[in-house]
Amino acid sequence: MAGTSVLQRTNFFSPPADPPQSSDLNLRLKEQHCLSLLKSCNNLEEFKQAHAQIVKWGFFWNSFSASNLVAASALSDWGSMDYACSIFRQIDDPGTFEFNTMIRAYVKDMNFGEALAFYCEMLERGVEPDNFTYPALFKACAWLKAKEEGMQIHGHSFKLGFETDVYVQNSLINMYGKCGQIEHAGAVFEQMDEKSVASWSAIIAAYASLGMWSECLMVFGNMSSEGCWRPEESTLVTVLSACTHLSALDLGKCTHGALLRNISGLNVIVQTSLIDMYVKCGCLEKGLSLFHRMAERNRMSYTVMISGLAMHGHGEEALRIYSMMLEEGIEPDDVVYVGVLSACSHAGLIDEGFECFDRMKSEHGIEPAVQHYGCMVDLMGKAGMINEALEFINSMPIEPNDVVWRSLLSACRVHCNLEIAEIAAKHLFQLSSQNPGDYVILSNMYAQAEKWPEVAKIRMEMARKGLNQVPGFSLVEVGRRIHKFVSQDTSHPLCKSIYEMIHQMEWQLKFEGYTPETSQVLLDVDEEEKAQRLKGHSQKLAIAFALIHTSQGTPIRIARNLRMCNDCHSYTKLISIIYEREITVRDRNRFHHFKDGTCSCRDYW
DNA sequence: TTAGGGTTAG
């Protein structure tokens, strides 16, 4: 057999009768021949045969062949790292490349501890790491969330002068992001002379994983303006997620446009993110139509749709989608059931809620978790079944958490049950709840009952614990900018015109028979002061601002951090008639669509 | 002679 034909031959598994004619080939050619054989292997069995043949030929045990054996083998893909390791151990004097190969292979195999152990061995044996060593190590630390080790190894790479290697920097951003050390990730990012698409993706993902959505969008904006923008599906999905959390519909729509222009054939992940964005930004119809047009749906798509419908109070429709999911043969999980139960709770579907709660375990073998119990307490509480809800909590086989007790406390507030509110609050305080809202609710209930000494006691307790009432705020998007209003806000640059608008609205509201519901202003102050307080609620400021700055008929969408007060609810209903606007408000629990003087929640919330 | 970074939905 001629030398050239040996080199060209890649199908090792009809092996030649004789080994390559070593007298005819120089060492390099032999090595390349070995490599091409190894690369042609498709599984471990073929690989072992190739390995044995090369050893038989007698020119395997130089370090080049051995390391390439590991490198070319995809041994980690075949779950054969023990075999790779046995090869490595036969190398007399492994160098940087051999160690790098092992570290990379272990990282690929998701065996991060072993990767770090090889790095330690490398240092112990005095083998100097190079710039190829570090990205793999940082990836291992990222997965392990090994903050301390990561920082220590960062120190090594710095000393060796790899601080400006773009691959090292990108993996550092990823590592610090995954370890929650966002300021370190940001520092590495800022110091980079040349940022690659991977650098931007890494920092955007880091902000997203910590829920720092505004920063996420800001960095994305900078990426575009610095001309380093390549529309990548994954980045755009992260941006969509940020829009969802910030209720930034206009930007979400732009992102949808960018996806349609740049990515052909949106996959199920992108479509699910789009549905989630539209639904959580208040456009339920748009979300539904995308959902029904999907060619392929998975459990996640169903979850998004079911919990979206739940937030909008469309309980029956949510249950229809849930049945559709079962018919399609998709097995529900615990998160789907949180959506289903909350749909029942928001829509007042008591019997259906209990039925689903039972089916969850009996038909799908899902043991109810504390969130599911929470939904059931909410379901009963909203319907005014306060005593039943308390009994239900007392019979729970698992320990109720603060969310469960808080659900009960909220229900007590709505249905004015001070006695059980005290029980719920006692449990919350025992659970060392640091949530100022719990104290505020109880104190407000005492105020409503005109029990002023108790009010003072609670307020003092709050002060002693250093808890401050969380100020209510509302977000409204006007001209692709999110404007934030805090209760009693006077900081907005257009503050004067906003308060003038509030004044004008007030006159029109009076014609419609509006009287401020001062009963929820729970301060020991006179009626006029109470009415004054109500006027400054952040939702009203946001509505006034939007009425000034958007044209007639434009829908107004608001997102707020707290639950709406009764006064804002009835106020907004009237505004929707007077100004002929559809107003959508997302509070911490659900959506309210105000139109023609009514709200989609039918005053059940 | 060989090898490297980021990456998405509830």
Side-chain angles (χ1 to χ4, degrees), chain A residues 128-269:
Chain A
E128 181 143 310
D130 64 8
N131 52 337
F132 284 85
T133 318
Y134 288 102
L137 291 172
F138 292 137
K139 196 170 183 175
C141 293
W143 277 95
L144 295 170
K145 298 201 188 302
K147 190 164 72 179
E148 301 299 328
E149 290 81 351
M151 288 175 77
Q152 203 181 342
I153 299 171
H154 182 186
H156 299 171
S157 76
F158 183 83
K159 269 192 208 152
L160 292 170
F162 303 127
E163 198 63 7
T164 55
D165 184 300
V166 68
Y167 289 89
V168 173
Q169 289 170 316
N170 289 344
S171 54
L172 271 170
I173 296 169
N174 173 44
M175 190 260 301
Y176 282 128
K178 293 276 187 326
C179 293
Q181 308 262 85
I182 192 68
E183 50 309 324
H184 289 176
V188 175
F189 181 77
E190 289 306 323
Q191 280 162 19
M192 291 180 81
D193 295 329
E194 263 185 59
K195 300 175 175 82
S196 65
V197 174
S199 326
W200 291 97
S201 306
I203 195 77
I204 289 173
Y207 281 124
S209 70
L210 293 172
M212 299 171 74
W213 306 111
S214 307
E215 290 78 0
C216 198
L217 291 185
M218 203 176 68
V219 174
F220 179 69
N222 293 341
M223 181 186 185
S224 321
S225 59
E226 288 191 22
C228 191
W229 197 76
R230 192 204 302 156
E232 287 194 334
E233 201 176 72
S234 54
T235 316
L236 294 177
V237 167
T238 308
V239 169
L240 274 181
S241 183
C243 294
T244 306
H245 285 92
L246 296 170
S247 208
L249 179 65
D250 281 351
L251 191 56
K253 283 180 177 168
C254 291
T255 311
H256 188 181
L259 280 160
L260 291 175
R261 282 193 304 276
N262 297 293
I263 313 286
S264 67
L266 303 184
N267 67 25
V268 65
I269 297 179

Side-chain angles (χ1 to χ4, degrees), chain A residues 9 57 70 249 484 507 524 585:
Chain A
R9 201 178 49 79
W57 288 343
V70 180
L249 179 65
K484 182 175 178 178
W507 274 104
D524 196 6
V585 182

